[in-house]
PDB file of all heavy atoms in Angstrom:
ATOM      1  N   GLN A 260     -32.607 -14.705  24.415  1.00 98.00           N
ATOM      2  CA  GLN A 260     -31.304 -15.006  24.999  1.00 98.00           C
ATOM      3  C   GLN A 260     -30.470 -15.838  24.026  1.00 98.00           C
ATOM      4  O   GLN A 260     -30.979 -16.769  23.403  1.00 98.00           O
ATOM      5  CB  GLN A 260     -31.444 -15.808  26.293  1.00 98.00           C
ATOM      6  CG  GLN A 260     -32.083 -15.088  27.448  1.00 98.00           C
ATOM      7  CD  GLN A 260     -31.827 -15.826  28.750  1.00 98.00           C
ATOM      8  OE1 GLN A 260     -30.741 -15.765  29.325  1.00 98.00           O
ATOM      9  NE2 GLN A 260     -32.836 -16.546  29.216  1.00 98.00           N
ATOM     10  N   ILE A 261     -29.193 -15.497  23.920  1.00 98.00           N
ATOM     11  CA  ILE A 261     -28.228 -16.317  23.191  1.00 98.00           C
ATOM     12  C   ILE A 261     -27.053 -16.588  24.117  1.00 98.00           C
ATOM     13  O   ILE A 261     -26.493 -15.658  24.704  1.00 98.00           O
ATOM     14  CB  ILE A 261     -27.728 -15.627  21.914  1.00 98.00           C
ATOM     15  CG1 ILE A 261     -28.856 -15.534  20.875  1.00 98.00           C
ATOM     16  CG2 ILE A 261     -26.551 -16.394  21.309  1.00 98.00           C
ATOM     17  CD1 ILE A 261     -28.461 -14.794  19.605  1.00 98.00           C
ATOM     18  N   VAL A 262     -26.699 -17.860  24.248  1.00 98.00           N
ATOM     19  CA  VAL A 262     -25.498 -18.259  24.973  1.00 98.00           C
ATOM     20  C   VAL A 262     -24.609 -18.988  23.969  1.00 98.00           C
ATOM     21  O   VAL A 262     -24.993 -20.027  23.430  1.00 98.00           O
ATOM     22  CB  VAL A 262     -25.817 -19.175  26.166  1.00 98.00           C
ATOM     23  CG1 VAL A 262     -24.532 -19.645  26.839  1.00 98.00           C
ATOM     24  CG2 VAL A 262     -26.700 -18.442  27.174  1.00 98.00           C
ATOM     25  N   GLY A 263     -23.439 -18.432  23.705  1.00 98.00           N
ATOM     26  CA  GLY A 263     -22.499 -19.038  22.780  1.00 98.00           C
ATOM     27  C   GLY A 263     -21.244 -19.465  23.504  1.00 98.00           C
ATOM     28  O   GLY A 263     -20.508 -18.624  24.020  1.00 98.00           O
ATOM     29  N   THR A 264     -21.004 -20.766  23.569  1.00 97.00           N
ATOM     30  CA  THR A 264     -19.845 -21.278  24.308  1.00 97.00           C
ATOM     31  C   THR A 264     -18.712 -21.703  23.383  1.00 97.00           C
ATOM     32  O   THR A 264     -17.710 -22.254  23.848  1.00 97.00           O
ATOM     33  CB  THR A 264     -20.256 -22.469  25.193  1.00 97.00           C
ATOM     34  OG1 THR A 264     -20.803 -23.507  24.377  1.00 97.00           O
ATOM     35  CG2 THR A 264     -21.296 -22.049  26.222  1.00 97.00           C
ATOM     36  N   GLY A 265     -18.846 -21.435  22.091  1.00 96.00           N
ATOM     37  CA  GLY A 265     -17.802 -21.786  21.138  1.00 96.00           C
ATOM     38  C   GLY A 265     -16.691 -20.756  21.091  1.00 96.00           C
ATOM     39  O   GLY A 265     -16.644 -19.797  21.879  1.00 96.00           O
ATOM     40  N   ASP A 266     -15.793 -20.928  20.135  1.00 97.00           N
ATOM     41  CA  ASP A 266     -14.637 -20.046  19.996  1.00 97.00           C
ATOM     42  C   ASP A 266     -15.056 -18.642  19.561  1.00 97.00           C
ATOM     43  O   ASP A 266     -14.406 -17.657  19.901  1.00 97.00           O
ATOM     44  CB  ASP A 266     -13.674 -20.657  18.977  1.00 97.00           C
ATOM     45  CG  ASP A 266     -12.358 -19.914  18.893  1.00 97.00           C
ATOM     46  OD1 ASP A 266     -11.901 -19.406  19.939  1.00 97.00           O
ATOM     47  OD2 ASP A 266     -11.793 -19.819  17.793  1.00 97.00           O
ATOM     48  N   TYR A 267     -16.141 -18.547  18.797  1.00 98.00           N
ATOM     49  CA  TYR A 267     -16.664 -17.257  18.361  1.00 98.00           C
ATOM     50  C   TYR A 267     -18.117 -17.446  17.970  1.00 98.00           C
ATOM     51  O   TYR A 267     -18.602 -18.571  17.807  1.00 98.00           O
ATOM     52  CB  TYR A 267     -15.843 -16.685  17.189  1.00 98.00           C
ATOM     53  CG  TYR A 267     -15.639 -17.637  16.040  1.00 98.00           C
ATOM     54  CD1 TYR A 267     -16.548 -17.719  14.995  1.00 98.00           C
ATOM     55  CD2 TYR A 267     -14.519 -18.470  16.003  1.00 98.00           C
ATOM     56  CE1 TYR A 267     -16.360 -18.603  13.951  1.00 98.00           C
ATOM     57  CE2 TYR A 267     -14.315 -19.365  14.955  1.00 98.00           C
ATOM     58  CZ  TYR A 267     -15.237 -19.425  13.930  1.00 98.00           C
ATOM     59  OH  TYR A 267     -15.058 -20.309  12.895  1.00 98.00           O
ATOM     60  N   LEU A 268     -18.828 -16.318  17.765  1.00 98.00           N
ATOM     61  CA  LEU A 268     -20.254 -16.412  17.473  1.00 98.00           C
ATOM     62  C   LEU A 268     -20.521 -16.430  15.975  1.00 98.00           C
ATOM     63  O   LEU A 268     -21.392 -17.163  15.493  1.00 98.00           O
ATOM     64  CB  LEU A 268     -21.011 -15.249  18.127  1.00 98.00           C
ATOM     65  CG  LEU A 268     -22.516 -15.439  18.264  1.00 98.00           C
ATOM     66  CD1 LEU A 268     -22.828 -16.589  19.220  1.00 98.00           C
ATOM     67  CD2 LEU A 268     -23.189 -14.158  18.732  1.00 98.00           C
ATOM     68  N   VAL A 269     -19.778 -15.616  15.201  1.00 98.00           N
ATOM     69  CA  VAL A 269     -19.950 -15.552  13.754  1.00 98.00           C
ATOM     70  C   VAL A 269     -18.572 -15.486  13.112  1.00 98.00           C
ATOM     71  O   VAL A 269     -17.695 -14.738  13.577  1.00 98.00           O
ATOM     72  CB  VAL A 269     -20.784 -14.326  13.325  1.00 98.00           C
ATOM     73  CG1 VAL A 269     -20.855 -14.225  11.807  1.00 98.00           C
ATOM     74  CG2 VAL A 269     -22.183 -14.399  13.923  1.00 98.00           C
ATOM     75  N   GLY A 270     -18.380 -16.272  12.027  1.00 98.00           N
ATOM     76  CA  GLY A 270     -17.094 -16.287  11.354  1.00 98.00           C
ATOM     77  C   GLY A 270     -17.229 -16.065   9.855  1.00 98.00           C
ATOM     78  O   GLY A 270     -18.137 -16.602   9.215  1.00 98.00           O
ATOM     79  N   LEU A 271     -16.318 -15.254   9.298  1.00 98.00           N
ATOM     80  CA  LEU A 271     -16.240 -15.024   7.857  1.00 98.00           C
ATOM     81  C   LEU A 271     -14.851 -15.405   7.386  1.00 98.00           C
ATOM     82  O   LEU A 271     -13.851 -15.038   8.016  1.00 98.00           O
ATOM     83  CB  LEU A 271     -16.499 -13.562   7.503  1.00 98.00           C
ATOM     84  CG  LEU A 271     -17.946 -13.057   7.410  1.00 98.00           C
ATOM     85  CD1 LEU A 271     -18.635 -13.115   8.761  1.00 98.00           C
ATOM     86  CD2 LEU A 271     -17.967 -11.628   6.864  1.00 98.00           C
ATOM     87  N   ASP A 272     -14.775 -16.131   6.276  1.00 98.00           N
ATOM     88  CA  ASP A 272     -13.501 -16.503   5.669  1.00 98.00           C
ATOM     89  C   ASP A 272     -13.577 -16.150   4.183  1.00 98.00           C
ATOM     90  O   ASP A 272     -14.309 -16.772   3.426  1.00 98.00           O
ATOM     91  CB  ASP A 272     -13.249 -17.996   5.862  1.00 98.00           C
ATOM     92  CG  ASP A 272     -11.834 -18.412   5.478  1.00 98.00           C
ATOM     93  OD1 ASP A 272     -11.161 -17.647   4.754  1.00 98.00           O
ATOM     94  OD2 ASP A 272     -11.400 -19.500   5.885  1.00 98.00           O
TER      95      ASP A 272
END
Side-chain angles (χ1 to χ4, degrees):
Q260 293 195 77
I261 291 177
V262 176
T264 59
D266 188 34
Y267 51 89
L268 198 65
V269 176
L271 279 65
D272 190 342

